[in-house]
Amino acid sequence: MLSKLHIKNYGLFEETQVEFLPGLNILTGETGAGKSLLVGALGLILGKRADNSSIFLSTDKCIIEAHFSELSPSRWKELEAFEGFDLEGNSLIIRREIRQGKSRAFINDTPVSLQVLREVGLKLLDLHAQHENQLLLSADQQVDLLDAYAGCQARTNSFGEKLLAYRQLGDTIQRMVEQEAQVKQQYDFLQHQVKELEEAQLESGEEEALEEELKLLQNTEDIREGLALATNNLYQDENDIYSQLGEVIQALEKIQDVSQDIQSNYSQLIESQETLKEVAFTLQNLLEQAESNPERLAIIEERLALYHNLKRKYNLNSSEELLTTYEKLAGQLGEADSMEGKILELKQELSQKRDELEILGLEIEELRNQAKGPLEQRVNALLEEVGFKRARYEVQIHRNTQDNGELQLDGNSIKMTPNGINKVDFLIQTNPGVPAGPLSQIASGGELSRVMLAIKTILAEKFEFPVLIFDEIDTGISGEIANKVGQVMHLLGKKFQIIAITHLPQIAAKGNQHFKLIKEIEGNSTKSTVKQLSLVGRVHELATMMSGEHPSETALRNAQEMLSEAPTR
């Protein structure tokens, strides 16, 4: 609910604060006291554009701050879906600041855009006033209200989720079709590239191994010369290193027992001599293998040239990159070959999803049609009680036909929306002989407010409305009709918080609490404040509303009686 509204430097309000309570909150006051300004302040909370001419003192900052508390779990869940501001506890504060043509908006002290403020505001306040776009005039909202009465909200939510999945799949298919078209344009070239790399029979590490072998074949004579010199000096010559090392070992053999250190070195030299012998044999084998092979050299050079040309052609630096490119291109070619089959599978899945949506959409349509008559009867009965003796409320349900729609039903092309396959319009006929028309086309703001009151009273059991604010609901009525309107508002106030601006005592008497806007003139300054009335104050205010500024004793007694007869919460 709206627990507190703080207004500073706006219109006639230098600074005032109103603490609203649950139920029906009544606001009254003489003409020009600031009732429309109060509605304007609430409009700012709903994200409406700021009018600098409404600032009390142009040199100071204007602040409108609304405190909301005791938010229901479902309302809280809706607010959690918004990003950009934090939610703490079970309350929320919206603040608008206006200074020198600049406006700022805050939710829980976090700056937000006007668009976010509008979206959040519609979750919290439903303002019914002249020239305002009421929540109930929204086509989507009318569908939601009918679905709440019909008890098919869960199905409608499921339809919206299924439709989202259906369209996402459709987008995926469209992207794949476009990709397939692009691939087909390049298919021959892609196939040529894959074939070229495939025929090359590339192997990981082959290029490096071939380059190593090439070095050996290109330097055969130098290698043979070096290996021959090494083997001769190590083991084969008369005075080779092996023989000289043997003489050293013989000399140490005679004295090895003298010292542990000599013995240790003696053992190491014996091992070294064996190692040297093994190295010499290995080098001898390499020497025997190192032969000139022009045919093998030509094969290697040709193979390496192939690697070089492919790397240059594909602008790559290594044979490993060539292998990676081959795998990538082969994968693309495989995808191109399988894409048509995948698209066909997805189209079959899309068709299945469309069939499911059609079935669910028809189920929802049937439930809506079943609820249509009872809802019309109940609203029309209540409209008669609040002064529309010959009014006729009508719920119009028809399919959302459109060229190139996603469904084909009874020979018509139907466009699906998150709400189903239907368009829902609330129509009203307030005068005989005049065709029923959309609620938004009703000329009188007061009539529209009473129609809204009737519809929302009937739907109150099944739909959670935000705080309802009614202005001009008493236009064109009086007497018993006004009394009945007040009773209906009081009844609705048992479920939702209502703030009503009225000029009629019959309605004011039904409030759970009563606030009065008071205009005061001090010198050249005019200021307005809002005061919550006590029981005595309410009696005097009702009497004043009935008979004028100086109410008679009779008016006071009538006011007292009116309050005593008013329903209690």
Side-chain angles (χ1 to χ4, degrees), residues 28-62:
T28 62
E30 63 180 273
T31 301
K35 296 187 292 296
S36 61
L37 289 171
L38 192 69
V39 173
L42 291 170
L44 291 175
I45 295 300
L46 285 169
K48 297 194 176 300
R49 294 287 179 184
D51 183 0
N52 293 324
S53 64
S54 298
I55 297 178
F56 185 79
L57 292 176
S58 59
T59 55
D60 293 340
K61 179 166 59 176
C62 165

Side-chain angles (χ1 to χ4, degrees), residues 14-296:
E14 182 178 24
E15 186 165 12
T16 192
Q17 181 168 293
V18 190
E19 294 186 4
F20 296 105
L21 297 174
L24 177 57
N25 295 266
I26 295 295
L27 285 162
T28 62
E30 63 180 273
T31 301
K35 296 187 292 296
S36 61
L37 289 171
L38 192 69
V39 173
L42 291 170
L44 291 175
I45 295 300
L46 285 169
K48 297 194 176 300
R49 294 287 179 184
D51 183 0
N52 293 324
S53 64
S54 298
I55 297 178
F56 185 79
L57 292 176
S58 59
T59 55
D60 293 340
K61 179 166 59 176
C62 165
I63 299 176
I64 312 293
E65 189 171 274
H67 294 239
F68 296 87
S69 60
E70 300 181 24
L71 299 172
S72 68
S74 59
R75 188 70 68 203
W76 195 254
K77 185 176 181 180
E78 290 178 334
L79 294 173
E80 284 182 325
F82 289 93
E83 297 180 354
F85 59 88
D86 296 327
L87 291 172
E88 297 180 1
N90 191 27
S91 61
L92 182 143
I93 300 174
I94 294 179
R95 185 171 78 254
R96 286 290 298 277
E97 296 182 357
I98 307 164
R99 170 177 280 179
Q100 296 178 350
K102 296 181 179 180
S103 171
R104 301 177 67 194
F106 301 84
I107 298 179
N108 285 351
D109 289 327
T110 301
V112 297
S113 66
L114 283 184
Q115 181 59 36
V116 171
L117 186 64
R118 292 186 188 103
E119 293 175 2
V120 172
L122 286 176
K123 302 292 184 184
L124 300 170
L125 295 174
D126 186 6
L127 179 58
H128 291 269
Q130 190 174 13
H131 308 307
E132 297 291 341
N133 293 317
Q134 294 84 358
L135 187 61
L136 194 56
L137 298 184
S138 161
D140 288 341
Q141 184 70 8
Q142 292 178 4
V143 174
D144 291 343
L145 293 173
L146 177 60
D147 287 348
Y149 189 80
C152 62
Q153 285 178 306
R155 284 184 174 88
T156 305
N157 292 337
S158 176
F159 189 95
E161 294 170 359
K162 288 179 179 293
L163 180 61
L164 177 61
Y166 170 81
R167 287 182 172 162
Q168 287 175 339
L169 180 58
D171 292 341
T172 299
I173 293 173
Q174 181 60 34
R175 286 195 299 270
M176 290 184 66
V177 168
E178 293 171 358
Q179 291 171 4
E180 183 187 31
Q182 293 175 356
V183 169
K184 283 182 177 179
Q185 291 177 351
Q186 304 172 354
Y187 186 85
D188 291 342
F189 180 62
L190 182 63
Q191 192 177 42
H192 166 74
Q193 288 180 310
V194 171
K195 182 179 180 181
E196 180 181 48
L197 293 174
E198 194 172 64
E199 290 178 346
Q201 296 182 333
L202 307 175
E203 295 181 14
S204 178
E206 181 189 18
E207 184 181 23
E208 291 78 6
L210 290 173
E211 287 174 344
E212 188 69 25
E213 187 178 356
L214 178 66
K215 290 179 184 178
L216 293 175
L217 291 173
Q218 288 176 335
N219 296 279
T220 300
E221 293 304 320
D222 292 338
I223 292 171
R224 286 183 60 82
E225 182 180 343
L227 290 174
L229 178 63
T231 54
N232 289 335
N233 288 334
L234 287 174
Y235 190 72
Q236 292 180 358
D237 284 352
E238 181 178 348
N239 194 27
D240 56 29
I241 295 173
Y242 181 83
S243 300
Q244 294 179 32
L245 186 57
E247 293 176 1
V248 174
I249 291 172
Q250 287 178 359
L252 292 177
E253 183 179 9
K254 299 175 182 179
I255 60 173
Q256 62 172 312
D257 295 334
V258 175
S259 165
Q260 183 67 36
D261 290 338
I262 293 175
Q263 189 177 49
S264 175
N265 285 282
Y266 169 76
S267 299
Q268 290 182 25
L269 286 173
I270 290 177
E271 292 178 4
S272 297
Q273 188 183 38
E274 289 301 317
T275 300
L276 187 148
K277 183 179 179 179
E278 291 175 3
V279 170
F281 284 154
T282 300
L283 292 178
Q284 180 64 36
N285 289 332
L286 291 174
L287 175 60
E288 293 173 356
Q289 295 172 11
E291 296 180 357
S292 177
N293 191 341
E295 293 180 358
R296 178 61 181 166

Side-chain angles (χ1 to χ4, degrees), residues 337-352:
D337 290 335
S338 63
M339 190 172 290
E340 184 175 355
K342 288 181 179 179
I343 291 174
L344 181 60
E345 290 178 6
L346 292 179
K347 285 184 175 180
Q348 291 173 346
E349 182 181 349
L350 187 72
S351 178
Q352 181 180 350

Side-chain angles (χ1 to χ4, degrees), residues 462-487:
K462 300 181 179 181
F463 196 88
E464 182 180 354
F465 292 105
V467 178
L468 301 174
I469 302 167
F470 288 99
D471 186 19
E472 293 191 341
I473 198 168
D474 53 11
T475 301
I477 62 172
S478 60
E480 183 55 32
I481 296 299
N483 185 58
K484 185 60 180 180
V485 169
Q487 290 175 354

Side-chain angles (χ1 to χ4, degrees), residues 538-557:
R538 292 189 69 178
V539 170
H540 189 273
E541 176 67 4
L542 292 178
T544 301
M545 294 172 73
M546 286 187 285
S547 64
E549 185 175 355
H550 302 289
S552 63
E553 289 296 325
T554 300
L556 289 169
R557 284 195 299 272

Side-chain angles (χ1 to χ4, degrees), residues 166 350-360 407:
Y166 170 81
L350 187 72
S351 178
Q352 181 180 350
K353 289 183 180 294
R354 183 168 54 245
D355 291 343
E356 292 174 357
L357 283 166
E358 179 179 330
I359 292 171
L360 184 56
L407 293 180

